[in-house]
Amino acid sequence: MKSVPKENTAPLSPPSPSPLAICSVPIQTWEQPYDPATALKHGTIFPGLNFPFFASGGEQ
């Protein structure tokens, strides 16, 4: 079997200097957490972090 020559396989790197990432984190104010049963149903104890995702319908 004949080996195929590899083209330029040097790793690509971004121009220097460049940040790896930029994050934006909003301030979360304190709020009364859900009771344990409601928190388990919603997957979070904080109402402000309750972002339901319904892939196909689902209950609301």
Side-chain angles (χ1 to χ4, degrees), residues 26-49:
I27 301 296
Q28 181 182 350
T29 58
W30 174 256
E31 57 188 332
Q32 187 64 35
Y34 286 137
D35 62 276
T38 304
L40 188 59
K41 178 181 177 184
H42 293 294
T44 179
I45 63 170
F46 297 108
L49 297 178

Side-chain angles (χ1 to χ4, degrees), residues 18-25:
S18 64
L20 294 177
I22 298 173
C23 68
S24 173
V25 181

